[in-house]
Amino acid sequence: MKVLVTGAGGHLGGAVLARLRDDGVGVRAASRRLRDGSDVEWVVTDLATGDGVVEAVTGVDAVLHLASSPRGGHTHQVDVLGTRRLVVAAGAAGVGHIVYISIVGVDRVPIPYYRHKLAAEQVIAAGPVPWSVLRATQFPQFLDDLLASSARLGPVIGDRAVLAQPVDPDEVAARLAARLVAGPLGGIEEYGGPQVLRFDEAARAWLTARGSRRPLLPVRIPGRLGRELRAGGLVTEALPRGVRTWADHLADTYGGTGRR
């Protein structure tokens, strides 16, 4: 089997490439700029313009579609229109399966980026290529960065009742590889980390791991967004789940367990 991986230069892309190589899968890795790799065939592909898309899908059996543009004002061009270009080209090339990585909560949480991800799911489902969608919860690196940003002014600021479920990207990569082997689902699968944490729990563990005595300043997120986040819009009860915890991430990153 030969697989095209879009967005291969990202954090999840790196984990996916390593997993597929370990599984003995032939890989063609797509990125917006040329990269080197003796064990991977790198190609330049720009979903925003369509450059290189036809060439990238030619001769592959499946596509793992990881590419996304959450920032910079190009989200619709890349995530929705770019996904449509990819699906059309893959259909014409006879690709047998496309697996799309999405996010738990795109159908519930009113964030503009999520609306684009949901629209991309709909493009995949309506396209000519047999498909699967894997919605994952947030990576611990994202939560780590969010906490660092919220603490820029001193105290850690956030809605303490917001629920999160960090999942390790290596485990998401393994789940994507398994979905690839299992064949087209024709539906949506959700995958989350082993623990559902309140924001204040995650923040206190983060502060402990960093040896920080900064206070936690609770600020309630207003409106529908806050209600959905507090009600669990970003978490899932789906099984199986990952096994690496928030404390594991903190120990790897800061040398502390995050436990008191």
Side-chain angles (χ1 to χ4, degrees), residues 14-156:
V16 165
L17 293 184
R19 180 70 191 199
L20 294 180
R21 288 198 303 268
D22 289 346
D23 291 346
V25 176
V27 177
R28 178 179 294 162
S31 176
R32 286 193 301 117
R33 61 182 179 85
L34 187 61
R35 298 171 185 260
D36 296 323
S38 58
D39 53 352
V40 174
E41 176 194 356
W42 283 95
V43 296
V44 176
T45 301
D46 190 340
L47 291 176
T49 63
D51 292 344
V53 171
V54 171
E55 294 82 359
V57 299
T58 300
V60 301
D61 302 295
V63 175
L64 283 182
H65 184 23
L66 315 180
S68 185
S69 180
R71 304 177 188 87
H74 299 104
T75 305
H76 182 72
Q77 190 71 17
V78 173
D79 286 68
V80 183
L81 302 183
T83 294
R84 183 174 293 118
R85 294 184 185 98
L86 180 68
V87 169
V88 170
V95 172
H97 188 192
I98 183 166
V99 182
Y100 180 60
I101 184 68
S102 189
I103 306 169
V104 168
V106 292
D107 55 341
R108 302 190 296 275
V109 179
I111 296 174
Y113 175 54
Y114 282 17
R115 289 199 294 269
H116 294 297
K117 294 292 285 185
L118 182 61
E121 288 185 5
Q122 294 164 349
V123 168
I124 296 279
V129 181
W131 61 280
S132 306
V133 168
L134 180 68
R135 290 179 181 169
T137 55
Q138 303 291 337
F139 294 155
Q141 292 83 357
F142 173 82
L143 181 55
D144 201 331
D145 291 344
L146 179 65
L147 286 163
S149 295
S150 72
R152 283 181 300 178
L153 299 179
V156 178

Side-chain angles (χ1 to χ4, degrees), residues 213-255:
R213 296 184 177 275
R214 292 188 181 198
L216 177 62
L217 178 62
V219 175
R220 189 175 177 87
I221 299 173
R224 182 188 163 203
L225 175 60
R227 291 194 299 273
E228 292 290 349
L229 294 176
R230 289 186 293 272
L234 296 178
V235 306
T236 179
E237 297 180 352
L239 298 174
R241 296 182 179 183
V243 298
R244 285 186 54 79
T245 65
W246 177 234
D248 291 331
H249 167 79
L250 295 175
D252 290 344
T253 307
Y254 301 108

Side-chain angles (χ1 to χ4, degrees), residues 171-193:
E171 294 178 337
V172 174
R175 195 68 187 168
L176 285 166
R179 173 45 53 200
L180 186 70
V181 171
L185 178 65
I188 298 167
E189 177 184 357
E190 293 191 341
Y191 186 69

